Structures are given as structure tokens and as C-alpha cells.
Amino acid sequence: MKTLKTLALILALAAPGAASAQLTTTKLTATKGNEYGLSYTLPVNGISVQIAARKTVRTPGPFANYAGKYLNETPIINKSVSWEIAGTAIEETATPDAEERYLVTLKGAGAPFISVTEKGGMLTGVNTRRLGRAAGAEATVLEAEEAAPTILDSPAARQAVTAEMIQSTSTAKRAELAAAKIYELRNSRNEIISGQADAMPSDGAAMQLALDRISEQEAALTAMFLGTEQVSVEVATYELDFPELVAEGESERVVVARLSQVDGLVDADDLSGAPVYCTFTLNTLAEIPLNEKGQPKTFPKGGVAYRIPGSASVALTYGGRTLEQATFDVAQYGVVFGLDPTLFTDKKAPSYLLLNPVTGGIVELGIVEGE
């Protein structure tokens, strides 16, 4: 099983649509110049797994030992770092199957053509440029987040520190002065709200500004006692192949990544972390269609090949908890069959074929009208 990891560092996936580029196709027309022969490939499927890990850093304040005495609250005592799974997403992917390359001859009126993906030349349609599904258009993109500065790094923290606190060489004295400043700010807030302040703000906007500044300074001084918490989110993307499953109900479980409480998301073989598992379960195996006699149909001579996909379920789990699960049609759990190429070169009523660009399965087959 191939496992490729792309680690998205801070804000690397913050732009919407980073993993959901619109599928683009190329039109290939059957002409005398190419002897009416058009080549294409069918897809093979995998999955793209996104995992978002939230990092929380808790840091004691400089007056942590005095939080109980002056604020009657329990502070952060020791610095700590913790990680948790914040979100996951699974998307089916398609890549060209090197073993399923075809050449179809479409010689007829009306300039028959095929549409293939620009990347990989996978067939998406015959005699139509429409797409059976806009691959990736609805893909979920998890966003990384950078840790914001703490309140102790803000201008409010500097404004809250008095000259007496700066001049004092005793931590105990500075804590006492900081606590006194907190209660002074609270008293000022109450006086403004009750209209009893000696210098009341001139209007509602000025009052709100004054109250906001008081709150910011109080929060900064309180953080000096109780400590601070910073949160950031890291996103990693892992590309996985569907395993070789041959019986309905058969499953295979693999380790996608691990979550370390020190380093966050790490590689699957890094035993410093707890595993994030991906379990693949084969639901159905597709078979060649049967004729009126109940026998497998024969592939049409020179036929336009397409996939009849099977299906599988995929589940992500961590710590015994299901994070994400989904069911997909899967090209390689099915079979390849074909349509008679004369359907698409008929002079009176040529047909068109619309395929799912991810699985190569038929979405629509009909008569061309005005194309």
C-alpha cells in the first residue's frame, strides 16, 4: 500500500479550495489525420485523507503561586503541550490505470470525439464535453490555524503594568500590586456602568471604548496569575491506495498516521504516537453483464471501454472512536466492459456517453441532440 504524506504547516491550507481544483478536460476529435483512432485511459481509485490536529500550549503566569491568595482561583502550574484530533475528511481520488489503456476507432459522420482529462488522459465522455461529476468540487478542505499571541503579548498588558510594579524587585510585591490593580479596574468598571465615575465618558461609544480597555487590562493582569493557553491547528494530507480485496465483506486495516503528544502528527511507523487507523471493507464486487441466456456478455469488437465499479466502505478511527466513514464506488473492485463504437458514429442518431471521471462508470448514455 502506497502512503504519501504532505504536511501542511501553519496556514498552508488556509486558502479555500486548495485541494479541490476544478477538473479540466481536452477534446480529441477522430479525423483522417489520426486515422480516426483516439486513445484514452480508465481510472484507478484511491482516497485522500485529511487529518487536522489541534495543539494546545498551556503556560503558567509569572504570579501563578499567588493566584489562590489574591484571586481565589486555580492557576496553570506547569507548562504543558497536548494534541488532539480536531477534524478529518476523506475524498476519493482517481489516477490513470497504466494497465487499462485503450484505442477506439470512431469513423463516421459528424466528427465524433471523446473528452479526456488533461492530466492522465482519463475518459470522461464521448460526443459530449459535459462532466458526469465535477471531481473535487465539493471536497472538504480542513484549514490550518496559527496560534494567536497571548494577552500577555498585547499592548493592554503593557498598559496594565504600573511603574511601581516595574520598579519592584520582589515577585510577591509585584503580585500584590497586580492584584490591587485588578480590583481597581473592576471598581472603575462598576462606577462607569452605574454612572458614578468622576469623569464619565462623553457618549455611548466613548463608554464602550473605556469598558473595553478596562476589560483588556484586567484580562492581561489576570493571565499573569492564571496563565495562558494558545491553540493552533496543523493539517496533514495522506494519499492511500485501496487494498487488494477479493471477497465481499473482506476488510483490511492500515495505520494512516500517528498522533504524538509531543510532536503532533507523525508518520505511521513512528511509534511515539497513537495510531489513526483506516479500515477498508469490500461491499460489492461488480461482474460482467449477462445476456438473455444468463451468460456473460462478450466485449464488443473495438468497443469503448468503461468501468462497472464495485463499492467499498472506508472508516477512520482513533482511540477506539470513529472519526469519519464513507462509502465509495471503486473502479478496481469492478470490471471493464465496452459499448459498440458504432453507437457513436451513427449518421442519423449518434449517441453520447457521459462517464463519472472518478470511477469511469456510466453516468448517462443517450442520443445527441443539437451537439
Side-chain angles (χ1 to χ4, degrees), residues 40-76:
Y40 61 92
T41 307
L42 293 181
V44 64
N45 297 136
I47 61 169
S48 178
V49 177
Q50 294 179 73
I51 303 176
R54 182 184 296 113
K55 177 183 181 181
T56 302
V57 179
R58 305 178 78 234
T59 305
F63 306 142
N65 293 335
Y66 303 93
K69 177 180 179 180
Y70 292 116
L71 303 184
N72 195 30
E73 293 192 48
T74 302
I76 297 171

PDB file of all heavy atoms in Angstrom, residues 40-76:
ATOM      1  N   TYR A  40      -7.167   6.651 -24.840  1.00  0.00           N
ATOM      2  CA  TYR A  40      -7.587   7.122 -23.525  1.00  0.00           C
ATOM      3  C   TYR A  40      -7.237   6.074 -22.480  1.00  0.00           C
ATOM      4  O   TYR A  40      -6.820   4.945 -22.805  1.00  0.00           O
ATOM      5  CB  TYR A  40      -9.099   7.411 -23.502  1.00  0.00           C
ATOM      6  CG  TYR A  40      -9.958   6.194 -23.787  1.00  0.00           C
ATOM      7  CD1 TYR A  40     -10.418   5.391 -22.741  1.00  0.00           C
ATOM      8  CD2 TYR A  40     -10.287   5.840 -25.092  1.00  0.00           C
ATOM      9  CE1 TYR A  40     -11.183   4.263 -23.007  1.00  0.00           C
ATOM     10  CE2 TYR A  40     -11.049   4.732 -25.358  1.00  0.00           C
ATOM     11  CZ  TYR A  40     -11.501   3.935 -24.316  1.00  0.00           C
ATOM     12  OH  TYR A  40     -12.248   2.821 -24.574  1.00  0.00           O
ATOM     13  N   THR A  41      -7.433   6.456 -21.229  1.00  0.00           N
ATOM     14  CA  THR A  41      -7.129   5.581 -20.101  1.00  0.00           C
ATOM     15  C   THR A  41      -8.321   5.559 -19.161  1.00  0.00           C
ATOM     16  O   THR A  41      -9.075   6.528 -19.075  1.00  0.00           O
ATOM     17  CB  THR A  41      -5.894   6.103 -19.335  1.00  0.00           C
ATOM     18  OG1 THR A  41      -4.820   6.287 -20.248  1.00  0.00           O
ATOM     19  CG2 THR A  41      -5.462   5.132 -18.249  1.00  0.00           C
ATOM     20  N   LEU A  42      -8.505   4.450 -18.461  1.00  0.00           N
ATOM     21  CA  LEU A  42      -9.526   4.370 -17.423  1.00  0.00           C
ATOM     22  C   LEU A  42      -8.876   4.627 -16.060  1.00  0.00           C
ATOM     23  O   LEU A  42      -7.668   4.389 -15.889  1.00  0.00           O
ATOM     24  CB  LEU A  42     -10.205   3.007 -17.446  1.00  0.00           C
ATOM     25  CG  LEU A  42     -11.047   2.709 -18.687  1.00  0.00           C
ATOM     26  CD1 LEU A  42     -11.698   1.329 -18.573  1.00  0.00           C
ATOM     27  CD2 LEU A  42     -12.105   3.773 -18.925  1.00  0.00           C
ATOM     28  N   PRO A  43      -9.648   5.081 -15.087  1.00  0.00           N
ATOM     29  CA  PRO A  43      -9.055   5.426 -13.787  1.00  0.00           C
ATOM     30  C   PRO A  43      -8.944   4.232 -12.838  1.00  0.00           C
ATOM     31  O   PRO A  43      -9.636   3.216 -12.991  1.00  0.00           O
ATOM     32  CB  PRO A  43     -10.054   6.442 -13.231  1.00  0.00           C
ATOM     33  CG  PRO A  43     -11.373   6.005 -13.799  1.00  0.00           C
ATOM     34  CD  PRO A  43     -11.064   5.490 -15.175  1.00  0.00           C
ATOM     35  N   VAL A  44      -8.071   4.404 -11.892  1.00  0.00           N
ATOM     36  CA  VAL A  44      -7.996   3.522 -10.727  1.00  0.00           C
ATOM     37  C   VAL A  44      -8.127   4.423  -9.516  1.00  0.00           C
ATOM     38  O   VAL A  44      -7.680   5.570  -9.536  1.00  0.00           O
ATOM     39  CB  VAL A  44      -6.678   2.722 -10.705  1.00  0.00           C
ATOM     40  CG1 VAL A  44      -5.480   3.653 -10.561  1.00  0.00           C
ATOM     41  CG2 VAL A  44      -6.682   1.663  -9.614  1.00  0.00           C
ATOM     42  N   ASN A  45      -8.760   3.932  -8.465  1.00  0.00           N
ATOM     43  CA  ASN A  45      -9.123   4.823  -7.353  1.00  0.00           C
ATOM     44  C   ASN A  45      -8.276   4.642  -6.108  1.00  0.00           C
ATOM     45  O   ASN A  45      -7.728   3.565  -5.839  1.00  0.00           O
ATOM     46  CB  ASN A  45     -10.589   4.626  -6.973  1.00  0.00           C
ATOM     47  CG  ASN A  45     -11.548   4.993  -8.075  1.00  0.00           C
ATOM     48  OD1 ASN A  45     -12.501   4.296  -8.346  1.00  0.00           O
ATOM     49  ND2 ASN A  45     -11.287   6.097  -8.759  1.00  0.00           N
ATOM     50  N   GLY A  46      -8.173   5.725  -5.368  1.00  0.00           N
ATOM     51  CA  GLY A  46      -7.573   5.744  -4.039  1.00  0.00           C
ATOM     52  C   GLY A  46      -8.370   6.709  -3.194  1.00  0.00           C
ATOM     53  O   GLY A  46      -9.446   7.151  -3.588  1.00  0.00           O
ATOM     54  N   ILE A  47      -7.852   7.051  -2.033  1.00  0.00           N
ATOM     55  CA  ILE A  47      -8.503   8.053  -1.201  1.00  0.00           C
ATOM     56  C   ILE A  47      -7.474   9.054  -0.695  1.00  0.00           C
ATOM     57  O   ILE A  47      -6.287   8.731  -0.556  1.00  0.00           O
ATOM     58  CB  ILE A  47      -9.265   7.453   0.005  1.00  0.00           C
ATOM     59  CG1 ILE A  47      -8.301   6.698   0.933  1.00  0.00           C
ATOM     60  CG2 ILE A  47     -10.408   6.581  -0.447  1.00  0.00           C
ATOM     61  CD1 ILE A  47      -8.945   6.315   2.263  1.00  0.00           C
ATOM     62  N   SER A  48      -7.958  10.259  -0.475  1.00  0.00           N
ATOM     63  CA  SER A  48      -7.146  11.308   0.132  1.00  0.00           C
ATOM     64  C   SER A  48      -7.718  11.568   1.523  1.00  0.00           C
ATOM     65  O   SER A  48      -8.898  11.894   1.656  1.00  0.00           O
ATOM     66  CB  SER A  48      -7.194  12.576  -0.723  1.00  0.00           C
ATOM     67  OG  SER A  48      -6.448  13.616  -0.130  1.00  0.00           O
ATOM     68  N   VAL A  49      -6.896  11.394   2.532  1.00  0.00           N
ATOM     69  CA  VAL A  49      -7.331  11.552   3.921  1.00  0.00           C
ATOM     70  C   VAL A  49      -6.692  12.805   4.504  1.00  0.00           C
ATOM     71  O   VAL A  49      -5.466  12.944   4.507  1.00  0.00           O
ATOM     72  CB  VAL A  49      -6.938  10.334   4.779  1.00  0.00           C
ATOM     73  CG1 VAL A  49      -7.343  10.545   6.239  1.00  0.00           C
ATOM     74  CG2 VAL A  49      -7.578   9.062   4.232  1.00  0.00           C
ATOM     75  N   GLN A  50      -7.529  13.720   4.966  1.00  0.00           N
ATOM     76  CA  GLN A  50      -7.028  14.902   5.673  1.00  0.00           C
ATOM     77  C   GLN A  50      -7.254  14.714   7.170  1.00  0.00           C
ATOM     78  O   GLN A  50      -8.325  14.266   7.586  1.00  0.00           O
ATOM     79  CB  GLN A  50      -7.778  16.160   5.247  1.00  0.00           C
ATOM     80  CG  GLN A  50      -7.579  16.588   3.818  1.00  0.00           C
ATOM     81  CD  GLN A  50      -8.386  17.836   3.520  1.00  0.00           C
ATOM     82  OE1 GLN A  50      -8.038  18.934   3.972  1.00  0.00           O
ATOM     83  NE2 GLN A  50      -9.468  17.688   2.796  1.00  0.00           N
ATOM     84  N   ILE A  51      -6.245  15.048   7.942  1.00  0.00           N
ATOM     85  CA  ILE A  51      -6.357  14.990   9.402  1.00  0.00           C
ATOM     86  C   ILE A  51      -5.907  16.339   9.963  1.00  0.00           C
ATOM     87  O   ILE A  51      -4.820  16.821   9.650  1.00  0.00           O
ATOM     88  CB  ILE A  51      -5.494  13.865  10.004  1.00  0.00           C
ATOM     89  CG1 ILE A  51      -5.876  12.515   9.403  1.00  0.00           C
ATOM     90  CG2 ILE A  51      -5.648  13.835  11.523  1.00  0.00           C
ATOM     91  CD1 ILE A  51      -5.001  11.370   9.888  1.00  0.00           C
ATOM     92  N   ALA A  52      -6.764  16.932  10.779  1.00  0.00           N
ATOM     93  CA  ALA A  52      -6.421  18.179  11.466  1.00  0.00           C
ATOM     94  C   ALA A  52      -6.136  17.849  12.931  1.00  0.00           C
ATOM     95  O   ALA A  52      -6.947  17.202  13.593  1.00  0.00           O
ATOM     96  CB  ALA A  52      -7.561  19.181  11.359  1.00  0.00           C
ATOM     97  N   ALA A  53      -4.986  18.286  13.412  1.00  0.00           N
ATOM     98  CA  ALA A  53      -4.601  18.055  14.806  1.00  0.00           C
ATOM     99  C   ALA A  53      -4.493  19.395  15.526  1.00  0.00           C
ATOM    100  O   ALA A  53      -3.827  20.319  15.041  1.00  0.00           O
ATOM    101  CB  ALA A  53      -3.274  17.312  14.880  1.00  0.00           C
ATOM    102  N   ARG A  54      -5.172  19.488  16.658  1.00  0.00           N
ATOM    103  CA  ARG A  54      -5.171  20.727  17.440  1.00  0.00           C
ATOM    104  C   ARG A  54      -4.101  20.650  18.532  1.00  0.00           C
ATOM    105  O   ARG A  54      -4.076  19.723  19.332  1.00  0.00           O
ATOM    106  CB  ARG A  54      -6.544  20.970  18.054  1.00  0.00           C
ATOM    107  CG  ARG A  54      -6.626  22.287  18.842  1.00  0.00           C
ATOM    108  CD  ARG A  54      -7.965  22.448  19.527  1.00  0.00           C
ATOM    109  NE  ARG A  54      -9.048  22.540  18.556  1.00  0.00           N
ATOM    110  CZ  ARG A  54      -9.994  21.630  18.395  1.00  0.00           C
ATOM    111  NH1 ARG A  54     -10.003  20.544  19.150  1.00  0.00           N
ATOM    112  NH2 ARG A  54     -10.948  21.793  17.503  1.00  0.00           N
ATOM    113  N   LYS A  55      -3.242  21.660  18.573  1.00  0.00           N
ATOM    114  CA  LYS A  55      -2.181  21.748  19.579  1.00  0.00           C
ATOM    115  C   LYS A  55      -2.565  22.796  20.608  1.00  0.00           C
ATOM    116  O   LYS A  55      -2.916  23.925  20.256  1.00  0.00           O
ATOM    117  CB  LYS A  55      -0.859  22.132  18.912  1.00  0.00           C
ATOM    118  CG  LYS A  55       0.308  22.312  19.874  1.00  0.00           C
ATOM    119  CD  LYS A  55       1.544  22.775  19.109  1.00  0.00           C
ATOM    120  CE  LYS A  55       2.752  22.946  20.025  1.00  0.00           C
ATOM    121  NZ  LYS A  55       3.943  23.431  19.276  1.00  0.00           N
ATOM    122  N   THR A  56      -2.493  22.429  21.880  1.00  0.00           N
ATOM    123  CA  THR A  56      -2.803  23.365  22.959  1.00  0.00           C
ATOM    124  C   THR A  56      -1.581  23.506  23.864  1.00  0.00           C
ATOM    125  O   THR A  56      -1.090  22.512  24.406  1.00  0.00           O
ATOM    126  CB  THR A  56      -4.007  22.887  23.790  1.00  0.00           C
ATOM    127  OG1 THR A  56      -5.139  22.721  22.927  1.00  0.00           O
ATOM    128  CG2 THR A  56      -4.349  23.885  24.879  1.00  0.00           C
ATOM    129  N   VAL A  57      -1.095  24.727  23.982  1.00  0.00           N
ATOM    130  CA  VAL A  57       0.056  25.022  24.854  1.00  0.00           C
ATOM    131  C   VAL A  57      -0.446  25.838  26.042  1.00  0.00           C
ATOM    132  O   VAL A  57      -1.001  26.924  25.862  1.00  0.00           O
ATOM    133  CB  VAL A  57       1.142  25.808  24.097  1.00  0.00           C
ATOM    134  CG1 VAL A  57       2.318  26.119  25.033  1.00  0.00           C
ATOM    135  CG2 VAL A  57       1.623  25.020  22.883  1.00  0.00           C
ATOM    136  N   ARG A  58      -0.266  25.304  27.249  1.00  0.00           N
ATOM    137  CA  ARG A  58      -0.704  25.993  28.466  1.00  0.00           C
ATOM    138  C   ARG A  58       0.540  26.418  29.246  1.00  0.00           C
ATOM    139  O   ARG A  58       1.409  25.602  29.552  1.00  0.00           O
ATOM    140  CB  ARG A  58      -1.603  25.081  29.301  1.00  0.00           C
ATOM    141  CG  ARG A  58      -2.792  24.545  28.520  1.00  0.00           C
ATOM    142  CD  ARG A  58      -3.649  23.597  29.327  1.00  0.00           C
ATOM    143  NE  ARG A  58      -4.521  24.321  30.250  1.00  0.00           N
ATOM    144  CZ  ARG A  58      -4.599  24.115  31.544  1.00  0.00           C
ATOM    145  NH1 ARG A  58      -3.806  23.218  32.129  1.00  0.00           N
ATOM    146  NH2 ARG A  58      -5.447  24.807  32.291  1.00  0.00           N
ATOM    147  N   THR A  59       0.620  27.721  29.552  1.00  0.00           N
ATOM    148  CA  THR A  59       1.817  28.285  30.174  1.00  0.00           C
ATOM    149  C   THR A  59       1.454  29.003  31.472  1.00  0.00           C
ATOM    150  O   THR A  59       0.536  29.834  31.480  1.00  0.00           O
ATOM    151  CB  THR A  59       2.493  29.291  29.215  1.00  0.00           C
ATOM    152  OG1 THR A  59       2.748  28.648  27.965  1.00  0.00           O
ATOM    153  CG2 THR A  59       3.800  29.808  29.807  1.00  0.00           C
ATOM    154  N   PRO A  60       2.165  28.717  32.558  1.00  0.00           N
ATOM    155  CA  PRO A  60       1.876  29.403  33.830  1.00  0.00           C
ATOM    156  C   PRO A  60       2.187  30.888  33.727  1.00  0.00           C
ATOM    157  O   PRO A  60       3.080  31.312  32.985  1.00  0.00           O
ATOM    158  CB  PRO A  60       2.820  28.716  34.827  1.00  0.00           C
ATOM    159  CG  PRO A  60       3.252  27.451  34.166  1.00  0.00           C
ATOM    160  CD  PRO A  60       3.233  27.713  32.700  1.00  0.00           C
ATOM    161  N   GLY A  61       1.457  31.702  34.482  1.00  0.00           N
ATOM    162  CA  GLY A  61       1.750  33.124  34.563  1.00  0.00           C
ATOM    163  C   GLY A  61       2.845  33.376  35.581  1.00  0.00           C
ATOM    164  O   GLY A  61       3.146  32.528  36.429  1.00  0.00           O
ATOM    165  N   PRO A  62       3.465  34.544  35.551  1.00  0.00           N
ATOM    166  CA  PRO A  62       4.567  34.841  36.483  1.00  0.00           C
ATOM    167  C   PRO A  62       4.118  34.889  37.950  1.00  0.00           C
ATOM    168  O   PRO A  62       4.948  34.740  38.851  1.00  0.00           O
ATOM    169  CB  PRO A  62       5.069  36.206  36.009  1.00  0.00           C
ATOM    170  CG  PRO A  62       3.920  36.797  35.247  1.00  0.00           C
ATOM    171  CD  PRO A  62       3.226  35.653  34.612  1.00  0.00           C
ATOM    172  N   PHE A  63       2.804  35.070  38.198  1.00  0.00           N
ATOM    173  CA  PHE A  63       2.317  35.147  39.572  1.00  0.00           C
ATOM    174  C   PHE A  63       1.436  33.935  39.920  1.00  0.00           C
ATOM    175  O   PHE A  63       0.528  34.028  40.751  1.00  0.00           O
ATOM    176  CB  PHE A  63       1.514  36.439  39.778  1.00  0.00           C
ATOM    177  CG  PHE A  63       2.240  37.687  39.390  1.00  0.00           C
ATOM    178  CD1 PHE A  63       1.571  38.741  38.776  1.00  0.00           C
ATOM    179  CD2 PHE A  63       3.607  37.841  39.632  1.00  0.00           C
ATOM    180  CE1 PHE A  63       2.231  39.896  38.427  1.00  0.00           C
ATOM    181  CE2 PHE A  63       4.275  38.996  39.280  1.00  0.00           C
ATOM    182  CZ  PHE A  63       3.589  40.035  38.665  1.00  0.00           C
ATOM    183  N   ALA A  64       1.709  32.795  39.275  1.00  0.00           N
ATOM    184  CA  ALA A  64       0.879  31.606  39.470  1.00  0.00           C
ATOM    185  C   ALA A  64       0.799  31.195  40.941  1.00  0.00           C
ATOM    186  O   ALA A  64      -0.259  30.759  41.426  1.00  0.00           O
ATOM    187  CB  ALA A  64       1.429  30.444  38.637  1.00  0.00           C
ATOM    188  N   ASN A  65       1.879  31.344  41.680  1.00  0.00           N
ATOM    189  CA  ASN A  65       1.906  30.914  43.087  1.00  0.00           C
ATOM    190  C   ASN A  65       1.031  31.773  43.996  1.00  0.00           C
ATOM    191  O   ASN A  65       0.808  31.426  45.161  1.00  0.00           O
ATOM    192  CB  ASN A  65       3.348  30.916  43.608  1.00  0.00           C
ATOM    193  CG  ASN A  65       4.205  29.855  42.940  1.00  0.00           C
ATOM    194  OD1 ASN A  65       3.679  28.848  42.459  1.00  0.00           O
ATOM    195  ND2 ASN A  65       5.513  30.071  42.889  1.00  0.00           N
ATOM    196  N   TYR A  66       0.542  32.901  43.455  1.00  0.00           N
ATOM    197  CA  TYR A  66      -0.244  33.818  44.292  1.00  0.00           C
ATOM    198  C   TYR A  66      -1.710  33.893  43.832  1.00  0.00           C
ATOM    199  O   TYR A  66      -2.479  34.698  44.334  1.00  0.00           O
ATOM    200  CB  TYR A  66       0.376  35.220  44.250  1.00  0.00           C
ATOM    201  CG  TYR A  66       1.822  35.233  44.689  1.00  0.00           C
ATOM    202  CD1 TYR A  66       2.860  35.109  43.762  1.00  0.00           C
ATOM    203  CD2 TYR A  66       2.151  35.332  46.037  1.00  0.00           C
ATOM    204  CE1 TYR A  66       4.187  35.098  44.161  1.00  0.00           C
ATOM    205  CE2 TYR A  66       3.486  35.319  46.436  1.00  0.00           C
ATOM    206  CZ  TYR A  66       4.489  35.195  45.495  1.00  0.00           C
ATOM    207  OH  TYR A  66       5.792  35.183  45.903  1.00  0.00           O
ATOM    208  N   ALA A  67      -2.075  33.031  42.865  1.00  0.00           N
ATOM    209  CA  ALA A  67      -3.442  33.064  42.326  1.00  0.00           C
ATOM    210  C   ALA A  67      -4.480  32.709  43.375  1.00  0.00           C
ATOM    211  O   ALA A  67      -5.549  33.324  43.464  1.00  0.00           O
ATOM    212  CB  ALA A  67      -3.558  32.119  41.131  1.00  0.00           C
ATOM    213  N   GLY A  68      -4.163  31.708  44.207  1.00  0.00           N
ATOM    214  CA  GLY A  68      -5.103  31.312  45.256  1.00  0.00           C
ATOM    215  C   GLY A  68      -5.263  32.385  46.311  1.00  0.00           C
ATOM    216  O   GLY A  68      -6.382  32.652  46.774  1.00  0.00           O
ATOM    217  N   LYS A  69      -4.177  33.039  46.669  1.00  0.00           N
ATOM    218  CA  LYS A  69      -4.202  34.042  47.732  1.00  0.00           C
ATOM    219  C   LYS A  69      -4.984  35.287  47.323  1.00  0.00           C
ATOM    220  O   LYS A  69      -5.815  35.789  48.092  1.00  0.00           O
ATOM    221  CB  LYS A  69      -2.766  34.424  48.095  1.00  0.00           C
ATOM    222  CG  LYS A  69      -2.669  35.521  49.155  1.00  0.00           C
ATOM    223  CD  LYS A  69      -1.207  35.840  49.470  1.00  0.00           C
ATOM    224  CE  LYS A  69      -1.098  36.944  50.507  1.00  0.00           C
ATOM    225  NZ  LYS A  69       0.325  37.269  50.830  1.00  0.00           N
ATOM    226  N   TYR A  70      -4.734  35.794  46.095  1.00  0.00           N
ATOM    227  CA  TYR A  70      -5.330  37.064  45.711  1.00  0.00           C
ATOM    228  C   TYR A  70      -6.617  36.938  44.874  1.00  0.00           C
ATOM    229  O   TYR A  70      -7.472  37.828  44.938  1.00  0.00           O
ATOM    230  CB  TYR A  70      -4.313  37.899  44.924  1.00  0.00           C
ATOM    231  CG  TYR A  70      -3.150  38.366  45.775  1.00  0.00           C
ATOM    232  CD1 TYR A  70      -1.850  37.947  45.522  1.00  0.00           C
ATOM    233  CD2 TYR A  70      -3.360  39.235  46.846  1.00  0.00           C
ATOM    234  CE1 TYR A  70      -0.779  38.380  46.302  1.00  0.00           C
ATOM    235  CE2 TYR A  70      -2.300  39.673  47.639  1.00  0.00           C
ATOM    236  CZ  TYR A  70      -1.014  39.239  47.365  1.00  0.00           C
ATOM    237  OH  TYR A  70       0.031  39.662  48.147  1.00  0.00           O
ATOM    238  N   LEU A  71      -6.739  35.869  44.101  1.00  0.00           N
ATOM    239  CA  LEU A  71      -7.908  35.727  43.226  1.00  0.00           C
ATOM    240  C   LEU A  71      -8.805  34.556  43.598  1.00  0.00           C
ATOM    241  O   LEU A  71      -9.889  34.405  43.036  1.00  0.00           O
ATOM    242  CB  LEU A  71      -7.456  35.556  41.763  1.00  0.00           C
ATOM    243  CG  LEU A  71      -6.572  36.659  41.166  1.00  0.00           C
ATOM    244  CD1 LEU A  71      -6.306  36.385  39.701  1.00  0.00           C
ATOM    245  CD2 LEU A  71      -7.214  38.032  41.358  1.00  0.00           C
ATOM    246  N   ASN A  72      -8.325  33.720  44.534  1.00  0.00           N
ATOM    247  CA  ASN A  72      -9.083  32.539  44.945  1.00  0.00           C
ATOM    248  C   ASN A  72      -9.434  31.650  43.746  1.00  0.00           C
ATOM    249  O   ASN A  72     -10.519  31.118  43.640  1.00  0.00           O
ATOM    250  CB  ASN A  72     -10.362  32.947  45.683  1.00  0.00           C
ATOM    251  CG  ASN A  72     -10.974  31.781  46.442  1.00  0.00           C
ATOM    252  OD1 ASN A  72     -10.265  30.877  46.898  1.00  0.00           O
ATOM    253  ND2 ASN A  72     -12.292  31.783  46.599  1.00  0.00           N
ATOM    254  N   GLU A  73      -8.472  31.496  42.837  1.00  0.00           N
ATOM    255  CA  GLU A  73      -8.672  30.650  41.653  1.00  0.00           C
ATOM    256  C   GLU A  73      -7.472  29.728  41.480  1.00  0.00           C
ATOM    257  O   GLU A  73      -6.383  29.987  42.003  1.00  0.00           O
ATOM    258  CB  GLU A  73      -8.863  31.514  40.400  1.00  0.00           C
ATOM    259  CG  GLU A  73     -10.152  32.331  40.407  1.00  0.00           C
ATOM    260  CD  GLU A  73     -10.450  32.926  39.049  1.00  0.00           C
ATOM    261  OE1 GLU A  73     -10.371  32.166  38.051  1.00  0.00           O
ATOM    262  OE2 GLU A  73     -10.752  34.131  38.973  1.00  0.00           O
ATOM    263  N   THR A  74      -7.705  28.625  40.740  1.00  0.00           N
ATOM    264  CA  THR A  74      -6.646  27.647  40.493  1.00  0.00           C
ATOM    265  C   THR A  74      -5.949  27.968  39.177  1.00  0.00           C
ATOM    266  O   THR A  74      -6.590  28.004  38.124  1.00  0.00           O
ATOM    267  CB  THR A  74      -7.227  26.231  40.422  1.00  0.00           C
ATOM    268  OG1 THR A  74      -7.911  25.945  41.642  1.00  0.00           O
ATOM    269  CG2 THR A  74      -6.123  25.205  40.202  1.00  0.00           C
ATOM    270  N   PRO A  75      -4.649  28.208  39.218  1.00  0.00           N
ATOM    271  CA  PRO A  75      -3.930  28.600  38.006  1.00  0.00           C
ATOM    272  C   PRO A  75      -3.315  27.399  37.290  1.00  0.00           C
ATOM    273  O   PRO A  75      -3.336  26.271  37.778  1.00  0.00           O
ATOM    274  CB  PRO A  75      -2.828  29.499  38.558  1.00  0.00           C
ATOM    275  CG  PRO A  75      -2.466  28.811  39.848  1.00  0.00           C
ATOM    276  CD  PRO A  75      -3.762  28.267  40.400  1.00  0.00           C
ATOM    277  N   ILE A  76      -2.763  27.673  36.134  1.00  0.00           N
ATOM    278  CA  ILE A  76      -1.904  26.698  35.456  1.00  0.00           C
ATOM    279  C   ILE A  76      -0.576  26.701  36.210  1.00  0.00           C
ATOM    280  O   ILE A  76       0.039  27.748  36.400  1.00  0.00           O
ATOM    281  CB  ILE A  76      -1.685  27.097  33.984  1.00  0.00           C
ATOM    282  CG1 ILE A  76      -3.014  27.093  33.226  1.00  0.00           C
ATOM    283  CG2 ILE A  76      -0.672  26.165  33.314  1.00  0.00           C
ATOM    284  CD1 ILE A  76      -2.913  27.692  31.828  1.00  0.00           C
TER     285      ILE A  76
END
